[in-house]
Structures are given as structure tokens and as C-alpha cells.
Amino acid sequence: MENSNTHFVYQQPAIEFVTVAVQLCIYLEKVAEYEREDFLDKILSILPLLYLKARLVPKSDLELDGYIEQFVTEQEYEDVRQSIAQILGTDDTYLEVYMEDMRYSDEPITAFISENIADIYQEMKDLACNYQTQNESVMNDALVACLEAFEQHWGQKLLNVLRPLHALSLSNDE
């Protein structure tokens, strides 16, 4: 095992990414307390930062052969999703233009900002909770799994919601 000071999970890019992930989780768990304009301002600040920090973490290898524990309950996921949906109202839905299924469809595909952000929340919360174990191998594997999920789905979901969120923030400014 590596020295704790040099282990992948303690390197600056990993710590910065996890820090932003934790901040997103803290915010989303209290999102029901915010007004729409405040929500849009905050989420449009933190999501691009999360994307950038995820991109800056170098690749690593798994250390364990086991299952990475998932901590987010269905109720926690639903609380975040419903709070965002309530803030956005009818503006929660948007037409998705960048999905694999879109290639084969003549019909527009509807997506939900709240659902995509809740999916991102679930990934970040599971990462943060695994980091709290302070077990370097668990932390490492949770980070590797989170970054693989970034490449496979939540990175694209993050980018997809930025477009409608950006439009909503501009319509609020007017």
C-alpha cells in the first residue's frame, strides 16, 4: 500500500473533485429552501466546476475486487428530484437532442432536469460517503467507479442539463 501522503485519493485533483462533489450534495440536500433564481445561480456555478474537476482527475486502477457500497436511498434520491422539480415547475422538462436513442427516433425525447441532477447527486453522495470510510482502497475504488460512471453517463447528463438551465437563467434575468 502506498504512503498516505502520496496515495491517489489524497492527490490534489482527487481532493478537489471530491470537495466539489460534497458541496453539491450539501446544496442539493437543502435545495428546497432556495428560490428559483438562487437555485439557477448556484447550480450553474457548481455543475461546470464539477465537470471540470472530474476531467482533471487522472485515471487509476481498482484495488479491491469487491462491490462499492451505495449509500443513497430511494427516498433521498426522490427528495432531491422532487425539490428540484418543484422549483422548476413546468420548466423541469426539456427536449433532449443528444441521446443515443435520438438517432433512431422521429419523435423528440423529453428529459427532466430534476432527474438528471438527482442521478448526478446519487453518484456524488455515494462517492462522498465512501470517502468518509477513510479506507484508502475503498476510497480509491469509489473514485475510480465514479469517474467511470462520469465517462459512461453522468458527465453527459451534466452537460445535457446545462443547456436548459442556461436558458432558464437568462429568461429569469429578463
Side-chain angles (χ1 to χ4, degrees):
M1 183 160 294
E2 295 179 41
N3 179 325
S4 289
N5 294 332
T6 60
H7 195 283
F8 169 68
V9 299
Y10 298 117
Q11 292 176 359
Q12 184 176 349
I15 293 296
E16 288 177 357
F17 170 60
V18 173
T19 299
V20 175
V22 168
Q23 291 303 312
L24 176 67
C25 293
I26 291 169
Y27 175 69
L28 290 176
E29 288 167 358
K30 296 179 181 180
V31 74
E33 300 171 11
Y34 291 91
E35 298 294 325
R36 180 183 170 111
E37 188 174 319
D38 294 333
F39 166 74
L40 291 170
D41 285 345
K42 180 73 172 179
I43 205 73
L44 281 168
S45 296
I46 200 164
L47 287 179
L49 184 59
L50 183 68
Y51 186 89
L52 173 65
K53 294 302 182 183
R55 297 265 314 164
L56 294 175
V57 179
K59 296 215 185 274
S60 184
D61 297 319
L62 294 173
E63 293 180 1
L64 303 171
D65 292 329
Y67 169 77
I68 302 299
E69 189 169 352
Q70 296 179 319
F71 292 87
V72 177
T73 66
E74 190 174 326
Q75 185 61 50
E76 289 170 321
Y77 177 95
E78 267 307 298
D79 288 347
V80 168
R81 190 197 63 72
Q82 287 178 354
S83 294
I84 296 169
Q86 187 171 4
I87 289 170
L88 297 177
T90 58
D91 293 326
D92 186 32
T93 60
Y94 67 99
L95 295 180
E96 185 51 74
V97 294
Y98 193 79
M99 284 182 79
E100 190 63 30
D101 296 343
M102 191 66 194
R103 248 193 245 181
Y104 311 107
S105 175
D106 293 335
E107 299 293 317
I109 296 173
T110 302
F112 297 90
I113 295 169
S114 59
E115 187 175 312
N116 285 329
I117 292 176
D119 288 347
I120 295 165
Y121 163 78
Q122 184 171 2
E123 296 284 348
M124 297 309 105
K125 182 70 174 197
D126 287 342
L127 172 65
C129 289
N130 277 297
Y131 248 74
Q132 286 181 325
T133 67
Q134 297 182 6
N135 177 316
E136 290 174 355
S137 294
V138 170
M139 295 161 65
N140 178 82
D141 287 8
L143 185 55
V144 169
C146 185
L147 294 172
E148 285 176 2
F150 170 76
E151 291 176 3
Q152 294 168 0
H153 63 90
W154 73 259
Q156 188 63 55
K157 288 179 181 187
L158 186 155
L159 293 172
N160 291 349
V161 298
L162 286 177
R163 184 177 35 85
L165 287 170
H166 174 72
L168 289 174
S169 76
L170 293 177
S171 67
N172 273 0
D173 291 345
E174 297 168 5

